[in-house]
Amino acid sequence: MSFVIDIAILVLLVGTMAYAWVVDRRVRLLMSVLKDMEPMIGTFSAAVDRSESTVSALRSAGQPPAEEARQERAPARGEPSFRTRRERPTRPVGATSVPGKSELVRGFFETVRQREA
């Protein structure tokens, strides 16, 4: 009976080692792909940061002065009122704004490099 248990344990160990070898190959492939994508992701992250700053600049440039905004909010009696602007969409529950996305991306790749060494 102990011989059967020993054989079962050996078979399970060989299976575990084969699975670990497959996972190791996949992780190495993933790491090589991430190294190839690093410049593209960094450029994309910088472009996102630039677009966010441009959108905020455009948003602030499109804001009417305070007097015009007060007149716009108070329509005359008897006249129908229509909104000329969309309401700002609400952020989904659980979503947070991440400042400094470029630093986050750089930090990720530096951590990956340190783990490889």
Side-chain angles (χ1 to χ4, degrees), residues 22-38:
V22 169
V23 169
D24 181 60
R25 281 186 34 206
R26 289 182 181 177
V27 167
R28 287 179 191 269
L29 178 64
L30 175 65
M31 296 307 288
S32 68
V33 169
L34 283 176
K35 282 181 185 177
D36 295 340
M37 289 179 59
E38 182 179 2

Side-chain angles (χ1 to χ4, degrees), residues 48-94:
V48 168
D49 289 340
R50 282 193 311 267
S51 67
E52 283 181 347
S53 64
T54 303
V55 166
S56 65
L58 287 172
R59 188 173 285 150
S60 65
Q63 296 282 333
E67 294 175 16
E68 290 179 18
R70 276 190 231 119
Q71 292 174 358
E72 195 174 287
R73 287 186 196 136
R77 295 200 181 255
E79 295 181 18
S81 64
F82 298 99
R83 285 187 286 172
T84 58
R85 295 191 180 129
R86 286 187 179 177
E87 292 178 8
R88 189 172 191 177
T90 58
R91 197 174 288 242
V93 176

Side-chain angles (χ1 to χ4, degrees), residues 30-46 102-114 116:
L30 175 65
M31 296 307 288
S32 68
V33 169
L34 283 176
K35 282 181 185 177
D36 295 340
M37 289 179 59
E38 182 179 2
M40 179 183 62
I41 291 173
T43 304
F44 178 73
S45 178
S102 297
E103 291 81 20
L104 185 66
V105 171
R106 275 189 233 109
F108 170 76
F109 282 109
E110 288 173 6
T111 303
V112 168
R113 280 192 210 109
Q114 289 175 355
E116 286 180 352

